[in-house]
Amino acid sequence: MNRTDAPRPGDIATGINRLEGYLLLQAERDRATDRARRFAGRLDWLTVAQREEVERLYAQDQLALTEQTLRTVARRSEELRAEYRQVYRRLRWRLLVAALLGAVAVAVMAAAVLAAG
């Protein structure tokens, strides 16, 4: 394997993020299935087929709710990122203007001292 075949850091980070997402999804599926079993377990009058259907539908609803919640959080996260970028740009611009004004003030004072001396 030569240097051009080596994975780039961005590729590695993307792969790790995908693996983490997969593992989180599997864990959420397990939790949803467990919640569905506990819920259906309290309905002792159900037949086996009915219990399996209730478990399947409950788990499906739980996963849909989780997906909706994650999409809402992700959207809000993007909104906040955009807001913070804008604030950061304004602060950076203000700092630049303040630095330039300070430099001009120092230059004017230096010129005044040299002209007086």
Side-chain angles (χ1 to χ4, degrees):
M1 177 185 270
N2 62 33
R3 287 187 136 282
T4 59
D5 293 337
R8 294 180 305 238
D11 295 341
I12 293 170
T14 299
I16 289 171
N17 286 338
R18 285 184 180 168
L19 178 60
E20 182 182 26
Y22 173 79
L23 293 173
L24 289 170
L25 176 61
Q26 293 306 311
E28 181 54 32
R29 282 185 179 152
D30 291 345
R31 284 190 296 272
T33 300
D34 184 54
R35 287 190 300 266
R37 282 193 186 116
R38 284 183 293 161
F39 176 77
R42 296 185 315 207
L43 307 174
D44 54 1
W45 63 87
L46 295 175
T47 66
V48 172
Q50 289 171 332
R51 183 179 318 277
E52 289 172 354
E53 183 66 5
V54 167
E55 287 178 11
R56 185 185 68 75
L57 292 172
Y58 189 96
Q60 187 179 29
D61 284 350
Q62 289 292 300
L63 289 172
L65 177 62
T66 298
E67 181 180 358
Q68 180 184 18
T69 301
L70 288 174
R71 288 185 190 281
T72 300
V73 168
R75 185 180 66 247
R76 183 62 182 141
S77 175
E78 287 300 320
E79 290 170 357
L80 287 173
R81 180 178 289 138
E83 288 176 30
Y84 287 133
R85 265 193 204 127
Q86 185 178 7
V87 167
Y88 177 71
R89 271 192 223 112
R90 276 196 306 253
L91 288 174
R92 202 171 57 198
W93 177 250
R94 287 179 185 172
L95 179 61
L96 176 63
V97 169
L100 290 174
L101 288 175
V104 168
V106 168
V108 168
M109 283 192 264
V113 167
L114 289 175

